Amino acid sequence: MLSCALTAAMATAYAQQAPAPEDPALKIYRAVPTKVNDLIHTKLDVRFDYKKRYLYGKEWVTLKPHFYPTDSLRLDAKGMDLKSISVVKNGKNVPLKFKYEDSLSVAIKLDKVYQNNENYTIYIDYTAKPNELKAKGSAAINDAKGLYFINPDGTEKDKPTQIWTQGETESSSAWFPTIDKPSQKTTEEITMTVPAKYVTLSNGKLVSQKANADGTRTDTWKQELPHSPYLFMMAVGDFKIYKDKWKNKEVSYYLEPKYAPYAKEIFGFTPEVIDFYSKTLGVDYPWVKYSQIVVRDYVSGAMENTSATLHGDYVQATKRELLDAYFSTGQSTIVHELFHQWFGDYVTAESWSNLTVNESFANFSETIWAEHKYGKDAGDDHNYADMQSYLRSPGANTKNLVRFYYGDKEEVFDAVTYQKGGRILNMLRNYLGNAAFYKGLNIYLKTNAFKNGEAQQLRLAFEEASGQDLNWYFNQWYYGAGHPILNISYKWNEATKTETVYLKQTQDGQTFKLPMAIDVYQGGKKVRYKAWMNNKVDSISYQLAGKPDLVNVDADKILLTKKTDAKTIEEFSFQYFNAPNYLDRYEAIEAAASDQTRKEAQKILIAALKDKYYGLRVKAIKALNLTKDDIRNPAQPILISLAQTDDNTLVRAAAISALGKLKASGNMNLFTQSLSSQSYAVQGAALNAIAALDPAKAMSLAKSLEKDNRAALTSAIMNLYTTNGNDAEWPYVYQHFIDAGIQEKFNNLRGFADMTAKVNKPEYAQQGIGQLKEAGIRFKVYGAAPFIVTQLESIKTARTAMKDDASAKAADDAIKAVNDAK
């Protein structure tokens, strides 16, 4: 699972609404559910009622007692009509007594006491009614009804009719009765009867298709290796299938027809990733096929259903959009979900408390793929960005990675499990070395194949591989909370020729044991020292021939820490030009950006405009204070060159944006020429730059760009229109706000609200108010409601001043609806 991205403001707002650490609900110990019966095989025969949004199902589920004899069975079955339940005896259904409790689970009295060497098969005739289920979502997965009918009546313009499922965490039991726990594993057979015009997808292999006289078709899919119930999936709709392969296994991509021409560009690197992961882990991709499907209105980011990953539509992109993608959110999602096929599907977390052995690994995989494909700087960039995401998450420092105490299982899908967990694995890789680390993963996977795992089994695998005791590492990082807040300072004693490094941890809570590399640069040479910080306050001294040019603590830049480093700007300058890592240069650019009056700072920033890694070129461009002559004069010709010739579109766009802030009319030709770029990022930056010089010209040019605009160009047009436009531009703004994904909606909220307040036509204002009300209700779980209510209040004031009483009342009603929404 990959959660939807949120803006920092919304993520913070949500986190502030989350239960505080002292909440009594968080004191509940969440044990692994006791196994009374084990799933063995699940056979389903389903058909769909598009009008009622029902699934009519028949199920044959085979089980056996786990260890102790039993004459009872409990299955999770949420919001269903259970018509009959029988045990299959000699090909006949023998009815059983059952009690359906709170429409959540069913207690079944078996026909006899079964021993743990006896299998039995239960037949269930049922109807699933997902749209009538009152299911609670979360910030990670914003709905939990399991089965989704998208535009089933075909009434929504430009939206396809689809059916898809979402099982994590325990929502598969909303569309078939099962023991809906990750500790269970079962093989599977699903038969779907669907309109013949649609294609289907499920786990495993498509083994048969049968055309029916009534215009339907019956497809049967078989998953012959066991997996957990939350990983079951179905999808039905008008998808075009692009078939690829890895070795002798089918790799396929299911896309809406309009995106089918870009299937290879979007997903075509998948076989390369499968190969890289297979070789790195020493375990070949374990399933019979690998499919990826993109659906509408998905309730999270993506989901790693076994052999059939489901993606939200944000991964879809045209060829032009992909020019600006590089290692984009879509690409990182693709590799994240693929790594789950090993960590999550092949070996599954025994309980949600141990979700780290699923999600931390998938998060970590994004870094190693970036490093492998795009170079170490790209991997380090991704690693650092995720660390900052964790460090900025309020309350995250109070939560253990392995979390046995929580109020709701959905809470475990957070920055601790994902971003912090991924960094902990990356630190361990650095500490053990690649060979021992990946050998440990190989042992873990092979030992627990098609079974369940937890962090202790992971520790044992790493210990077996490396020969080292790792209890200290797991105790502090997996079973403890927080992170070190590290202050680093230095002192040179000329008399004794001694350099002393002072290390101080200032966080509350545990003291972290930190192994680290320290590189000392002196006399044109670099010497590496290995050091351990074992106490809250430590110091390390080195006798040297002369004062060092640089002492680089945590020279691999691998520690998960919030750090204050008392280097001088001269030392940071030396670090930029001599230390090898992405973060060495990043830190130097940060230091230079904070005081651009210093010559060394200026030297760093000007040099960084030509950094070998595009991300640092962009960072340097954005850091420039171009109001200062001694920055602007050397930077401007470099920026013009970057804007015209850099091989990275994001660098070109950043350079154009920086030049645009100068509002220099001499750059107008560069900006207008840049509008002919194939890159939406470059076009968007150019349009913004033109708007800063000549808004009327920008408005005219924007009209010609309306037919083909996406991503950054769409944002630029939206910003231009919401700032300078009115009724003539409203249809474009309104439609693009409706079509926007969650992140884009958040980004455009303020501008959209401002335009809603000022348009002349009351019906336009009321359209905008309706969209803001819908966003406030839908995104209330993310903490968006207070911000949206504030915007609605401003609209109410503005419409009242315009004597538009109907719109003012609509705004008032919308405020109430958002506040009252649960």
Side-chain angles (χ1 to χ4, degrees):
M1 169 67 69
L2 188 78
S3 303
C4 292
L6 301 178
T7 61
M10 295 304 173
T12 300
Y14 172 74
Q16 289 169 345
Q17 291 188 348
E22 64 272 12
D23 189 321
L26 297 181
K27 303 298 183 185
I28 301 170
Y29 176 72
R30 304 294 179 174
V32 178
T34 299
K35 287 185 175 181
V36 178
N37 289 282
D38 290 341
L39 296 172
I40 295 175
H41 182 65
T42 303
K43 181 179 178 181
L44 300 170
D45 185 345
V46 304
R47 60 189 63 229
F48 306 98
D49 187 326
Y50 283 79
K51 186 175 181 180
K52 292 182 178 179
R53 282 70 160 163
Y54 286 177
L55 175 151
Y56 302 118
K58 300 181 187 300
E59 176 176 21
W60 295 262
V61 56
T62 302
L63 310 98
K64 74 175 188 64
H66 179 75
F67 186 80
Y68 301 106
T70 186
D71 63 354
S72 62
L73 167 66
R74 180 174 291 276
L75 297 176
D76 299 295
K78 299 185 177 82
M80 298 179 179
D81 283 346
L82 299 175
K83 298 177 183 177
S84 68
I85 300 179
S86 309
V87 63
V88 180
K89 291 282 188 180
N90 300 316
K92 294 184 178 180
N93 296 333
V94 178
L96 298 174
K97 293 181 179 179
F98 63 91
K99 184 178 181 183
Y100 195 22
E101 299 174 353
D102 300 321
S103 293
L104 293 175
S105 69
V106 56
I108 302 168
K109 182 72 173 176
L110 300 176
D111 61 313
K112 67 166 198 164
V113 174
Y114 285 87
Q115 307 296 317
N116 67 6
N117 60 353
E118 290 181 281
N119 293 355
Y120 61 92
T121 298
I122 300 296
Y123 169 76
I124 305 172
D125 188 356
Y126 68 97
T127 301
K129 302 177 177 182
N131 283 31
E132 297 172 22
L133 179 64
K134 303 300 181 186
K136 179 187 172 188
S138 69
I141 310 162
N142 64 42
D143 199 288
K145 61 187 180 185
L147 176 67
Y148 297 82
F149 289 83
I150 307 303
N151 195 19
D153 304 317
T155 54
E156 295 181 69
K157 185 184 175 186
D158 298 326
K159 180 179 282 189
T161 296
Q162 299 174 348
I163 295 173
W164 46 264
T165 60
Q166 164 56 37
E168 196 170 38
T169 48
E170 295 173 8
S171 298
S172 286
S173 50
W175 60 277
F176 67 96
T178 188
I179 304 175
D180 206 353
K181 301 298 176 188
S183 55
Q184 290 283 342
K185 296 262 180 168
T186 171
T187 54
E188 162 200 339
E189 180 178 330
I190 297 181
T191 296
M192 288 179 262
T193 299
V194 301
K197 63 183 177 179
Y198 294 142
V199 301
T200 67
L201 177 65
S202 188
N203 315 96
K205 186 191 298 185
L206 180 62
V207 295
S208 70
Q209 291 189 299
K210 176 190 167 190
N212 303 316
D214 61 357
T216 64
R217 191 187 69 254
T218 299
D219 292 356
T220 299
W221 294 81
K222 278 190 178 180
Q223 167 72 26
E224 296 180 338
L225 297 171
H227 66 149
S228 294
Y230 78 90
L231 296 166
F232 279 42
M233 76 83 70
M234 298 185 298
V236 182
D238 181 16
F239 299 100
K240 295 296 182 186
I241 307 170
Y242 183 100
K243 293 198 174 180
D244 213 336
K245 66 178 181 178
W246 175 74
K247 293 188 175 178
N248 61 339
K249 294 186 177 182
E250 179 186 310
V251 176
S252 54
Y253 320 128
Y254 289 62
L255 289 150
E256 289 179 34
K258 68 178 179 179
Y259 283 98
Y262 315 113
K264 188 72 173 176
E265 284 89 349
I266 297 167
F267 289 117
F269 65 106
T270 301
E272 184 184 357
V273 187
I274 295 175
D275 200 63
F276 170 63
Y277 287 163
S278 295
K279 288 174 179 173
T280 299
L281 298 171
V283 175
D284 272 359
Y285 176 78
W287 312 104
V288 70
K289 65 103 166 54
Y290 188 58
S291 298
Q292 295 178 91
I293 188 167
V294 183
V295 302
R296 290 290 190 97
D297 297 349
Y298 186 50
V299 294
S300 189
M303 182 61 207
E304 66 275 10
N305 309 298
T306 309
S307 79
T309 285
L310 188 147
H311 290 281
D313 61 7
Y314 70 94
V315 303
Q316 290 184 145
T318 64
K319 200 167 187 175
R320 286 190 63 190
E321 286 176 281
L322 291 167
L323 286 175
D324 302 322
Y326 303 100
F327 191 48
S328 64
T329 302
Q331 290 177 325
S332 64
T333 300
I334 289 167
V335 301
H336 175 113
E337 303 307 331
L338 181 46
F339 207 68
H340 269 310
Q341 300 298 315
W342 288 265
F343 289 89
D345 298 7
Y346 187 63
V347 182
T348 307
E350 186 178 39
S351 69
W352 303 120
S353 294
N354 270 281
L355 183 63
T356 177
V357 300
N358 291 8
E359 293 298 349
S360 300
F361 273 107
N363 179 279
F364 163 76
S365 76
E366 300 168 30
T367 291
I368 63 171
W369 171 253
E371 181 182 291
H372 168 77
K373 182 67 175 176
Y374 303 107
K376 190 172 186 303
D377 282 347
D380 289 350
D381 181 359
H382 196 79
N383 187 68
Y384 184 70
D386 271 3
M387 184 175 82
Q388 293 306 306
S389 180
Y390 157 71
L391 291 174
R392 288 193 298 262
S393 297
N397 64 317
T398 66
K399 300 171 184 175
N400 294 351
L401 180 56
V402 177
R403 214 167 311 162
F404 293 110
Y405 294 85
Y406 55 79
D408 189 294
K409 60 190 179 300
E410 308 297 336
E411 296 164 18
V412 186
F413 292 79
D414 62 7
V416 176
T417 296
Y418 286 76
Q419 286 85 359
K420 183 183 181 183
R423 310 296 64 74
I424 288 167
L425 287 166
N426 206 35
M427 280 194 298
L428 188 58
R429 176 173 68 128
N430 179 266
Y431 175 71
L432 294 176
N434 275 350
F437 179 83
Y438 289 121
K439 179 62 177 175
L441 297 191
N442 177 270
I443 292 168
Y444 171 80
L445 289 171
K446 288 183 174 177
T447 302
N448 303 294
F450 305 111
K451 296 186 289 187
N452 296 90
E454 60 175 66
Q456 293 290 16
Q457 289 162 304
L458 189 63
R459 175 182 62 82
L460 292 171
F462 282 130
E463 289 183 343
E464 181 180 340
S466 68
Q468 298 189 46
D469 177 89
L470 293 171
N471 270 299
W472 67 272
Y473 192 89
F474 277 74
N475 286 342
Q476 75 179 21
W477 289 115
Y478 280 80
Y479 300 103
H483 54 270
I485 299 175
L486 184 61
N487 290 336
I488 308 168
S489 58
Y490 313 87
K491 184 178 180 182
W492 170 251
N493 187 318
E494 180 63 31
T496 62
K497 303 292 186 191
T498 303
E499 175 79 6
T500 303
V501 180
Y502 298 96
L503 304 171
K504 184 178 181 181
Q505 295 183 34
T506 63
Q507 74 280 357
D508 294 331
Q510 65 170 316
T511 299
F512 287 83
K513 185 175 180 178
L514 302 175
M516 65 183 78
I518 299 178
D519 286 349
V520 178
Y521 294 78
Q522 196 273 327
K525 294 181 180 179
K526 178 180 83 171
V527 178
R528 171 158 290 199
Y529 299 90
K530 295 289 188 179
W532 285 78
M533 185 180 186
N534 294 307
N535 306 300
K536 278 224 166 173
V537 179
D538 262 340
S539 64
I540 307 164
S541 295
Y542 304 100
Q543 284 219 293
L544 304 169
K547 188 177 188 305
D549 297 299
L550 175 69
V551 177
N552 201 9
V553 176
D554 181 26
D556 289 331
K557 295 294 181 279
I558 198 71
L559 293 180
L560 196 171
T561 179
K562 187 175 181 180
K563 180 175 68 173
T564 302
D565 197 331
K567 293 188 179 91
T568 65
I569 192 63
E570 289 75 19
E571 288 167 329
F572 274 121
S573 179
F574 186 92
Q575 179 172 306
Y576 180 84
F577 291 103
N578 294 276
N581 290 319
Y582 162 86
L583 205 48
D584 292 313
R585 284 137 48 221
Y586 181 101
E587 289 174 350
I589 295 168
E590 284 265 284
S594 66
D595 184 2
Q596 299 186 30
T597 62
R598 306 284 296 276
K599 289 296 181 187
E600 287 296 332
Q602 295 167 13
K603 179 182 173 185
I604 293 167
L605 291 174
I606 298 303
L609 295 176
K610 299 180 181 179
D611 195 277
K612 65 177 182 176
Y613 179 60
Y614 81 89
L616 291 180
R617 297 201 296 280
V618 170
K619 182 173 179 60
I621 291 167
K622 291 181 176 180
L624 293 172
N625 180 357
L626 294 174
T627 64
K628 296 177 59 60
D629 290 349
D630 42 5
I631 294 285
R632 183 179 63 256
N633 291 339
Q636 189 165 355
I638 301 173
L639 290 172
I640 291 171
S641 175
L642 293 174
Q644 294 173 324
T645 64
D646 198 278
D647 60 2
N648 185 284
T649 60
L650 301 183
V651 175
R652 295 209 303 274
I656 291 167
S657 295
L659 292 167
K661 291 174 185 175
L662 296 175
K663 298 185 179 180
S665 58
N667 289 323
M668 180 61 91
N669 283 342
L670 187 158
F671 300 151
T672 53
Q673 288 168 8
S674 297
L675 282 179
S676 64
S677 171
Q678 285 295 295
S679 161
Y680 291 124
V682 171
Q683 285 186 306
L687 185 63
N688 285 333
I690 293 167
L693 282 168
D694 188 343
K697 180 176 182 177
M699 289 287 286
S700 175
L701 289 167
K703 294 292 182 184
S704 67
L705 297 168
E706 283 188 10
K707 287 184 179 178
D708 181 8
N709 65 93
R710 291 175 181 268
L713 179 56
T714 303
S715 296
I717 296 173
M718 288 284 282
N719 182 61
L720 181 67
Y721 284 177
T722 56
T723 303
N724 299 290
N726 206 290
D727 288 26
E729 291 71 39
W730 176 257
Y732 175 93
V733 170
Y734 178 64
Q735 190 60 48
H736 276 78
F737 189 81
I738 290 173
D739 294 341
I742 180 172
Q743 186 72 51
E744 193 180 350
K745 265 193 169 66
F746 282 146
N747 293 344
N748 289 325
L749 268 173
R750 189 184 296 276
F752 183 77
D754 289 346
M755 193 170 186
T756 299
K758 71 180 182 182
V759 287
N760 292 317
K761 290 186 179 179
E763 58 265 38
Y764 286 174
Q766 287 159 40
Q767 284 178 343
I769 289 164
Q771 282 298 308
L772 289 166
K773 177 181 80 170
E774 183 182 310
I777 294 169
R778 181 181 172 193
F779 303 135
K780 193 167 187 175
V781 67
Y782 300 131
F787 175 76
I788 292 175
V789 166
T790 299
Q791 301 307 306
L792 287 166
E793 287 169 345
S794 296
I795 292 167
K796 177 184 172 183
T797 301
R799 302 314 296 189
T800 300
M802 295 170 68
K803 305 204 180 318
D804 178 8
D805 295 337
S807 297
K809 183 180 184 305
D812 208 34
D813 292 343
I815 291 166
K816 184 177 188 307
V818 173
N819 286 331
D820 290 349
K822 301 300 183 186

